[in-house]
Every structure is written in C-alpha cells, then in structure tokens.
C-alpha cells in the first residue's frame, strides 16, 4: 500500500476526468475517533461543471453547491433520498464547479461493512454532512496516492442514476478498475 499522506491540492487542480482516473487505486483515509479506516478507491464518477446537466452545479451557485465553485481539494458531501450521504472531491480551478463522486471502495483497514455504492461507502467510512467542505489536505480525512507500480485497467461506462440529464446520461464518465469485485455495478 502507498504511504498514507494526503495528495497535494495540485492533484485536484487538474482536468476532472484525469483526476477521476488517478483516484482509481488511491486510498481514502478517515480517522474516526482514533480508528483509522482505509479503503482503496475502485469506482468513481466525473461531473463536469455547470454545463453537465447531471451535476449539481448545473443549477448554478447556491448555498449547497458553493463548495463546488470553490478551490479544488475540498469535500462536497450531500444527502440523497433523505438517507444516504455521498462524497465528492472538488476538482479543477476555482469557479469551474467540477467534482468526482467516490462510488466504491475495496476495504483495506477497519472497514467492517460493504462500501460498494456511494451511500455504503460513506457509511463504512463514517462520513456525513459534518464533512462537507472538509479540506482533503487535512490529516484526518484525505486521499493518499495509489501505488504507481500496481498495474490497473480502467473501464469507462455511463454514470448511474442520472437519466434525467438527457445526453449527459449516456456519456462514459463512470470509471472503475476492471475485474475488481468491490465495484458497485459493472
């Protein structure tokens, strides 16, 4: 496993699809009351700003979406269906309102439940609305780099649950590690 230090802000300050690809195989780390939970990121979805009709930012700048318009490297956490939290990482330069949704983790350390699907991922990692706007360069919730020596094959598919977004629903902006059994949906 790669060293458990946070990737720098510059990691997020790049093209969203590039960040999405580079997140695959990286590690989500969360210190929950002294218990360090670690999961290998195996599935993500890219959201490409205000023109992407599947992105929350397509509705413009609101109190809820303002974190998306801010600097890269911060967490955007929201509640869906009134029961599930979803964790996104803000990407690209300030004002672009882009992000990557973390969809599934392979358990590495102190994860005792399934983490396949964004809601299950947040539950397994102890992430909720308190983590919205969290700086991912912190030492308690962050992403550590993947092991560059580990080979990987990335699969691209349409995103899940965004049929309302017209042509954006068919774009291959969901990425996962081929053959990984922890991916939420093939």
């Amino acid at each position: 496993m790669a060293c458990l230090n946070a990737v720098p802000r510059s990691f997020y300050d790049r093209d969203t699809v590039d960040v999405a690809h580079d997140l695959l195989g990286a590690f989500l780390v969360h210190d929950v009351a002294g218990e360090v939970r670690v999961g290998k990121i195996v599935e993500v979805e890219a959201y490409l700003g205000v023109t992407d009709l599947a992105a929350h930012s397509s509705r413009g700048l609101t109190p809820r979406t303002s974190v998306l318009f801010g600097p890269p490297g911060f967490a955007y956490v929201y509640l869906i269906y009134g029961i599930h939290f979803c964790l996104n990482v803000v990407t690209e330069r300030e004002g672009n309102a882009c992000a990557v949704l973390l969809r599934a983790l392979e358990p590495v350390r102190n994860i005792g439940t399934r983490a396949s699907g964004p809601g299950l991922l947040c539950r397994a990692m102890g992430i909720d609305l308190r983590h919205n706007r969290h700086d991912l360069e912190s030492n308690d919730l962050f992403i550590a780099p993947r092991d560059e020596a580990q080979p990987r094959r990335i699969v691209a598919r349409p995103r899940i649950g965004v049929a309302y977004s017209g042509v954006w629903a068919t774009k291959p902006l969901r990425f996962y590690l081929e053959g990984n059994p922890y991916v939420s949906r093939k």
Side-chain angles (χ1 to χ4, degrees), residues 85-106:
F85 298 105
C86 296
L87 170 64
N88 296 257
V89 298
V90 177
T91 61
E92 299 195 20
R93 66 177 168 76
E94 193 165 348
N96 276 15
C98 298
V100 177
L101 170 68
L102 304 187
R103 286 198 52 85
L105 298 175
E106 176 180 325

Side-chain angles (χ1 to χ4, degrees), residues 5 32 44-45 54 69 77 82 109 138 140 144 165:
N5 292 317
V32 182
V44 298
E45 287 181 353
F69 290 84
V77 180
R109 184 185 308 154
S138 72
D140 62 335
S165 65

Side-chain angles (χ1 to χ4, degrees), residues 18-19 24 60 108 125:
D18 291 342
V19 174
L24 293 171
V108 174
M125 293 298 288

Side-chain angles (χ1 to χ4, degrees), residues 1-8 11-12 22-29 38-41 136 141-147:
M1 179 172 57
C3 93
L4 293 179
N5 292 317
V7 297
F11 174 88
Y12 305 102
D22 289 345
L23 283 168
L24 293 171
F27 299 91
L28 180 62
V29 181
V38 181
K40 179 179 174 181
I41 300 168
L136 295 172
L141 174 60
F142 61 91
I143 293 173
R146 67 183 179 87
D147 181 353

